[in-house]
Amino acid sequence: MSAASFPESFVWGVSTSAFQIEGATTAGGRGPSIWDGFSADRAEACDHYHRHTEDVRLMKDLGIAAYRFSVSWARVIPDGCGKVNAAGLDFYDRLVDELIAAGITPYATLYHWDLPQALEDRGGWPVRDTAHHFADYAAIVHERLGDRVGTWFTVNEPWVAAFLGYGSGIHAPGRTSTADAFRSAHHMLLAHGLGVQALRAAGASEVGAALNISPVLTPAQVSDFDRELTEEDAEAVARIDALVNRQFLDPMLRGAYPTDLVPLIERHAGLGHVHDGDLDVIAAPTDLLGVNYYSPLVVQAQPSEPADPAFPGSEGVLFCTVPTAVTAMGWPIVPACLSQLLGRLSREYPQTELMITENGADFVDVATGDSIHDLERISFIEEHLRALRTAIDDGANVRGYLVWTLLDNLEWSDGYQRKFGLVHVDFATQRRRPKDSARWYRDVIARNGLPETRARRPTLETVA
Ligand code: GBH
């Protein structure tokens, strides 16, 4: 294997999510979801519900092997439980057929944040029943697609859905209760476990979850991972790591909450919502861990700092900006964190095969005529692929890499201004145009490896 090539069986692809691309929020019998009215922008998104054939063709042109999409719960079961909407299932049925005809393996995610509004009206994720409704929904989707979809992700990034949706309130449903955020997190874990059981019982071949795993570092560690920490900084790092990462990894993969997190959960939410036996359900064996990696969280101890509502218990922890390159959203670009993260997961959870289920970045793209020059995106992906290659050399078991994302889309609370796509979308006309990064990624896939020469970041002049 040359320095820039990947294992022969390596799986290349892209990821999307239903609410961010489908649009058609009232078409074909879909029920409302918590996100429909939450973002200030109209939810027409990429109108993928009507344009899926074109979008599958775009993916075929990229030469990808795998496409991870999410299923809209409210399209399949408009009230979240009870009556099934056949037209909703028909949509995913057609999509899967088209993917297979294009030689693309479908990977389905069952929950990417778009809870049916009807279930939110009954209490949402803070309520335990929601986890049981999720398992019923999982079985229904599997019944229709399971003959062609082999790989299933239960929940996507439960930390974000619980702590931004119910804690800080910057995501739908916009509630701000720390107790509810912890309860939501537990019920999403339970939904995962019950979902795994339901999918296994139905004969699913592979199941897992996709987690946002953010390495937590001090500013000094960003340039030197091995830097010794003061006791205070080490404690701050461990506290944030427990909240964001281990709160989900440990129950799923070790059958227990991290011992350093339990007192915090108890203080904010009690433990009454954690029933006997739940952790056995949550720890049902899985086949694959989806890793969504964007950037590290950089923190240091700072006694006067108040808690950030998205990170309960973070009093005394300062979230820092560091002098690295950043994406347009201001997220630090630290590709080496990806190697470090994959190494850590391989050591601490060795039984689990890994897959990068999301990695990508938003930048302000430069258009010249019909072309869209997104060298910064190329460089971002390239550097992360080099870091991934390093981790594989060091023994990490990584099946593949999925770019976030195929299309410029509806970026949650940030709306349409954020551009994460390999393909540009003109939201006035819905015209799609592959960016330079799409062509570059196609070449990477075709040669199963990186080009010999690195992409150069554009200079300030070319961006202006
Ligand atoms: C992913 O989430 C989503 O799965 C996807 O739908 C979305 O479009 C994509 O990223 C781009 O945003 O800023 O304090 O919350 C990524 C979520 C963002 C979670 C960065 C951790 C850092 C901490 N991650 N975030 S904070």
Side-chain angles (χ1 to χ4, degrees):
M1 192 156 73
S2 92
S5 70
F6 281 75
E8 214 169 302
S9 58
F10 197 76
V11 177
W12 298 99
V14 296
S15 279
T16 64
S17 90
F19 179 75
Q20 292 179 273
I21 64 168
E22 283 182 5
T25 53
T26 55
R30 179 186 179 280
S33 89
I34 56 173
W35 270 99
D36 293 7
F38 189 82
S39 134
D41 284 306
R42 287 178 316 125
E44 186 192 349
C46 308
D47 194 31
H48 169 77
Y49 182 77
H50 296 113
R51 295 167 196 267
H52 56 92
T53 307
E54 179 182 359
D55 294 339
V56 171
R57 199 178 318 124
L58 286 166
M59 288 190 263
K60 188 177 181 189
D61 292 345
L62 284 175
I64 62 170
Y67 173 50
R68 171 180 174 255
F69 63 96
S70 84
V71 176
S72 157
W73 187 343
R75 207 178 274 297
V76 172
I77 309 176
D79 294 327
C81 57
K83 208 179 130 312
V84 174
N85 175 38
L89 284 172
D90 290 346
F91 165 67
Y92 295 106
D93 193 83
R94 288 193 297 275
L95 174 65
V96 165
D97 277 347
E98 287 174 10
L99 289 166
I100 288 171
I104 299 168
T105 303
Y107 281 39
T109 301
L110 287 163
Y111 187 70
H112 199 126
W113 308 353
D114 46 354
L115 189 70
Q117 181 63 42
L119 291 184
E120 175 59 22
D121 295 344
R122 296 178 178 211
W125 283 109
V127 167
R128 189 175 173 92
D129 283 349
T130 303
H132 289 281
H133 295 317
F134 174 82
D136 295 342
Y137 152 66
I140 286 162
V141 178
H142 186 278
E143 187 178 276
R144 184 65 179 272
L145 305 181
D147 57 337
R148 287 152 293 151
V149 176
T151 307
W152 298 83
F153 293 99
T154 52
V155 292
N156 178 73
E157 302 193 354
W159 180 80
V160 172
F163 287 86
L164 305 188
Y166 293 87
S168 72
I170 67 165
H171 276 195
R175 286 158 67 179
T176 51
S177 154
T178 300
D180 282 341
F182 278 115
R183 287 187 197 113
S184 295
H186 182 72
H187 294 143
M188 287 177 200
L189 284 165
L190 185 62
H192 161 80
L194 294 169
V196 169
Q197 284 181 351
L199 291 164
R200 292 259 189 249
S205 40
E206 292 194 311
V207 292
L211 301 179
N212 58 293
I213 307 179
S214 300
V216 188
L217 313 169
T218 62
Q221 285 182 314
V222 172
S223 43
D224 174 10
F225 285 141
D226 300 324
R227 184 65 82 85
E228 284 270 336
L229 299 185
T230 63
E231 210 175 297
E232 293 75 22
D233 281 345
E235 190 278 327
V237 164
R239 208 158 7 122
I240 301 306
D241 181 54
L243 259 180
V244 177
N245 301 321
R246 289 182 284 123
Q247 178 168 198
F248 300 92
L249 287 166
D250 283 9
M252 285 181 181
L253 301 173
R254 289 181 174 164
Y257 275 109
T259 47
D260 53 339
L261 186 69
V262 173
L264 187 77
I265 301 176
E266 188 164 19
R267 170 149 58 90
H268 286 284
L271 290 171
H273 61 287
V274 182
H275 294 194
D276 282 351
D278 281 2
L279 283 150
D280 294 335
V281 174
I282 293 166
T286 51
D287 306 287
L288 193 59
L289 174 67
V291 177
N292 297 354
Y293 171 70
Y294 290 88
S295 59
L297 281 164
V298 186
V299 303
Q300 68 187 39
Q302 174 86 271
S304 60
E305 204 58 30
D308 178 321
F311 299 86
S314 64
E315 40 280 282
V317 179
L318 175 70
F319 290 84
C320 309
T321 49
V322 277
T324 58
V326 293
T327 69
M329 267 156 114
W331 296 353
I333 303 174
V334 192
C337 275
L338 181 60
S339 324
Q340 192 214 22
L341 166 66
L342 293 170
R344 172 194 174 178
L345 293 172
S346 306
R347 275 192 311 278
E348 295 183 10
Y349 309 93
Q351 78 279 23
T352 312
E353 185 179 4
L354 306 171
M355 178 149 191
I356 304 301
T357 37
E358 292 182 22
N359 176 241
D362 73 310
F363 289 108
V364 178
D365 295 333
V366 188
T368 318
D370 246 10
S371 302
I372 293 153
H373 306 303
D374 56 341
L375 252 174
E376 292 186 290
R377 180 167 297 97
I378 294 173
S379 160
F380 181 98
I381 296 173
E382 173 163 19
E383 296 305 320
H384 285 81
L385 287 174
R386 287 187 196 281
L388 171 55
R389 190 43 231 280
T390 302
I392 293 174
D393 287 344
D394 292 344
N397 182 12
V398 186
R399 175 187 304 189
Y401 175 88
L402 308 179
V403 171
W404 183 270
T405 182
L406 178 68
L407 303 169
D408 287 344
N409 65 25
L410 178 44
E411 174 58 27
W412 306 111
S413 302
D414 279 355
Y416 296 107
Q417 52 168 331
R418 301 299 182 190
K419 310 292 182 188
F420 276 87
L422 296 172
V423 175
H424 177 273
V425 176
D426 177 338
F427 291 101
T429 61
Q430 292 294 349
R431 179 173 171 224
R432 274 91 161 124
R433 274 182 297 167
K435 304 177 190 176
D436 287 355
S437 58
R439 283 177 265 277
W440 178 87
Y441 193 47
R442 183 193 60 200
D443 292 347
V444 167
I445 295 168
R447 69 164 65 127
N448 196 39
L450 294 168
E452 295 306 325
T453 48
R454 274 178 149 86
R456 272 186 319 115
R457 264 178 219 294
T459 61
L460 278 175
E461 288 81 344
T462 58
V463 180

